[in-house]
Amino acid sequence: MSDEHSRAGGGQGDILAELEAEVAHELEEQRPPAGGPAYQVVAGLVTLAVGVLGAVLAHGYGLGSLRRPGPGLWPFVISAVIIALSVVLLVVGRRLTDSEQFSRSSVLPLVGLATFVGLAFLLPVIGFEIPALLLCVVWLRFLGGESWRSTAAVSVGTVAAFYALFLYGLGIPLPHLF
C-alpha cells in the first residue's frame, strides 16, 4: 500500500513539474528579445531627466524647512531619490544584460502618462467625474486588456469611491458636475 502511495505521489510531482516547465517555456516564448546595456543607459537617462524636471518643478513650489515643510519638499525628495537611482543605473547598467528591447508594450507607460496629463487639463474644465471615468476606461480596457464588463464595473466603482472619499470623507473641494 505504501508503494502505491509513493507512486501516486510521484506521479503528482511529475505532472506538476511538467506544468511548471510548460508555463516557463510559454513565458520565455512571449518575452521580447534582450536589449543589452544600451537600453539600460537609455532608461537611466530618461529617468534622470524625469528626476531633474521633478526637482526643478518642486523647487519652484518652495521647499520650506523640515520644521515647516513647503508644498515642494516631498516632491523634491522623491525627485532626488529618482535622480540617485538613475545615476546608479547609469553606472551599473552597462554591465547588466536583463533589459528588453523596446516594443509596442514599451509605449504603454507613455500612453498612461499622456492620459494622466489629459486628466489634469480636463479636471478644472469639466470636473472630476468624466475625466476620471475616461482615465479608468483607457487604463483598464486599452492598456490593461480587461473585458468591457469589468472595465465598466471597476471604472464606475473607482470614480464613485474617489468621489465619495474626496468630497465627503476628506472634505476636499474637487471640481465636479454634481
Side-chain angles (χ1 to χ4, degrees), residues 124-145:
V125 177
I126 59 175
F128 168 76
E129 299 87 353
I130 294 172
L133 187 67
L134 290 173
L135 178 85
C136 286
V137 168
V138 168
W139 282 18
L140 289 170
R141 177 65 184 156
F142 301 110
L143 300 181

Side-chain angles (χ1 to χ4, degrees), residues 10-152:
Q12 290 290 344
D14 292 340
I15 293 172
L16 184 59
E18 287 178 29
L19 286 173
E20 286 176 351
E22 184 179 334
V23 168
H25 180 70
E26 287 178 13
L27 289 175
E28 190 62 35
E29 286 179 353
Q30 295 174 358
R31 185 182 177 127
Y39 286 85
Q40 297 283 6
V41 172
V42 169
L45 290 172
V46 168
T47 54
L48 180 66
V50 168
V52 169
L53 178 65
V56 168
L57 291 173
H59 189 270
Y61 284 120
L63 301 180
S65 67
L66 290 178
R67 291 198 183 268
R68 298 185 54 96
L73 181 64
W74 289 113
F76 185 82
V77 169
I78 297 299
S79 296
V81 170
I82 291 172
I83 291 169
L85 292 173
S86 298
V87 169
V88 168
L89 183 59
L90 286 170
V91 170
V92 178
R94 294 179 183 174
R95 293 186 297 265
L96 300 176
T97 59
D98 62 344
S99 63
E100 297 174 351
Q101 286 185 3
F102 293 117
S103 65
R104 179 186 177 278
S105 63
S106 304
V107 179
L108 295 180
L110 296 176
V111 173
L113 178 65
T115 58
F116 205 64
V117 170
L119 171 80
F121 281 117
L122 290 175
L123 194 70
V125 177
I126 59 175
F128 168 76
E129 299 87 353
I130 294 172
L133 187 67
L134 290 173
L135 178 85
C136 286
V137 168
V138 168
W139 282 18
L140 289 170
R141 177 65 184 156
F142 301 110
L143 300 181
E146 295 294 328
S147 69
W148 279 111
R149 179 180 293 168
S150 67
T151 296

